[in-house]
Amino acid sequence: MFGFKIVRQNHVGLVETLGKYRREVSAGLNVYIPFIQKVRIVDLAMIPLSLQGYSVITKDNAEVQTNVTLNYHITDARKFQYENSNSVESMIQLVRGHLRDIIGKLDLNEALGSTSQINADLATAIGDLTDTYGIKVDRVNIDELKPSASITESMEKQIRADREKTAAIAKANGDARSIEIETKARNEATVSTAKAEAEATIARADAKAYEIKKLNDTLAAVDNKYFTAQQIQAFAALANSAANTVVMDKDSIAKYADIPVTAKVMNQMVNK
């Protein structure tokens, strides 16, 4: 009496006789002896596996939660089935152990910013070690590195403090720059005003000096007759004013008395 077992594509069958491995059969229709033989089906296709919430410690003693995704496929069905009681769990422990060693050599900031390098180092570390279990790891990826809640809170506080510090520095620099610009403008205005006043003072002094020079030149060019005429006009103005007292030395009185016009003015002052 014979039985028939269909092995699907990308699978293999392990034939056991009375519980002992005998042979491997490929995909298709296979014949076996029921009750005496058993066919175990092993999937050879690539299988995804997610490792969630694995805790590791960084070099600076920070706890980090990691989520790892890996893809593997079975390369040796006999090893996978018979040489390890749980080949998948052994592979998982191997991955976690190497991941712990790699991250344990990094500071928290280095670990958070180096996921691509961690992926590469982990793939290299695993290498062909899983071949012992009849498994090949095709791809491994760190999906997430998440610090613990306390560390996350501390990091957020540090970030806020850094932002506030940066804002305060920026404001202080802005205020200092504003004061600098205002002071410079005020100084420039003061200098310009002083310069203008100095130029105006020089211009007035030049004008006054010119006026004095012209007056001196004019006075130098006139003779005594001019001064006598000026004095006569002064006496005439005095004669028409309310004042009637003039103090003069006797020589001047004698000199002006000889001038008819002056004598007439003096007589008018006396008769007032």
Side-chain angles (χ1 to χ4, degrees):
M1 182 179 177
F2 295 96
F4 299 93
K5 187 72 171 180
I6 296 176
V7 179
R8 292 186 296 129
Q9 179 69 32
N10 211 24
H11 291 67
V12 295
L14 302 178
V15 181
E16 298 176 352
T17 301
L18 299 177
K20 185 176 181 180
Y21 169 75
R22 288 298 181 184
R23 59 191 173 91
E24 183 179 299
V25 295
S26 58
L29 181 62
N30 294 276
V31 179
Y32 71 103
I33 302 172
F35 304 110
I36 296 176
Q37 292 183 323
K38 180 179 180 180
V39 180
R40 294 184 181 273
I41 304 301
V42 179
D43 188 356
L44 302 180
M46 185 176 293
I47 302 172
L49 181 63
S50 180
L51 309 179
Q52 299 291 329
Y54 179 53
S55 179
V56 294
I57 304 298
T58 62
K59 183 180 179 180
D60 50 354
N61 295 321
E63 183 180 358
V64 179
Q65 296 292 322
T66 63
N67 293 331
V68 182
T69 300
L70 57 84
N71 295 332
Y72 71 93
H73 71 279
I74 298 171
T75 58
D76 190 323
R78 186 179 64 83
K79 284 184 179 181
F80 177 79
Q81 189 66 40
Y82 300 114
E83 295 188 6
N84 196 302
S85 61
N86 193 331
S87 294
V88 174
E89 182 61 29
S90 296
M91 175 192 66
I92 292 173
Q93 291 178 4
L94 181 66
V95 170
R96 286 178 171 174
H98 282 290
L99 181 61
R100 182 176 60 249
D101 291 340
I102 293 170
I103 295 181
K105 296 177 182 178
L106 302 174
D107 293 335
L108 177 60
N109 290 334
E110 293 176 332
L112 295 178
S114 306
T115 54
S116 297
Q117 186 60 46
I118 293 173
N119 290 336
D121 293 343
L122 184 57
T124 301
I126 294 172
D128 297 327
L129 295 177
T130 55
D131 184 61
T132 305
Y133 316 127
I135 296 175
K136 173 67 175 178
V137 176
D138 301 292
R139 179 177 176 272
V140 60
N141 184 69
I142 306 295
D143 294 329
E144 184 181 27
L145 281 176
K146 184 179 180 181
S148 63
S150 59
I151 294 177
T152 301
E153 183 179 359
S154 297
M155 292 175 65
E156 290 175 351
K157 288 181 179 179
Q158 182 63 43
I159 291 173
R160 286 196 298 268
D162 290 342
R163 288 176 179 172
E164 291 173 357
K165 179 180 178 181
T166 301
I169 292 174
K171 184 179 184 302
N173 289 336
D175 292 344
R177 180 58 179 164
S178 177
I179 293 173
E180 179 183 356
I181 294 173
E182 182 180 354
T183 301
K184 182 179 180 181
R186 188 163 54 247
N187 291 340
E188 289 178 351
T190 302
V191 171
S192 298
T193 301
K195 186 181 294 185
E197 291 177 352
E199 292 176 352
T201 300
I202 293 173
R204 288 193 296 270
D206 291 341
K208 190 65 176 178
Y210 178 78
E211 180 183 356
I212 294 172
K213 181 177 183 303
K214 291 297 292 182
L215 180 59
N216 288 335
D217 292 342
T218 301
L219 293 176
V222 300
D223 52 15
N224 291 332
K225 293 180 179 180
Y226 172 79
F227 293 107
T228 303
Q230 292 294 317
Q231 291 170 348
I232 292 172
Q233 291 179 5
F235 272 110
L238 183 61
N240 295 323
S241 67
N244 57 8
T245 302
V246 178
V247 178
M248 300 179 63
D249 61 87
K250 62 180 182 178
D251 294 334
S252 297
I253 293 174
K255 180 178 64 174
Y256 289 118
D258 293 337
I259 301 173
V261 176
T262 308
K264 181 177 180 182
V265 171
M266 293 177 67
N267 290 332
Q268 289 178 358
M269 293 173 61
V270 171
N271 294 328
K272 276 189 177 181

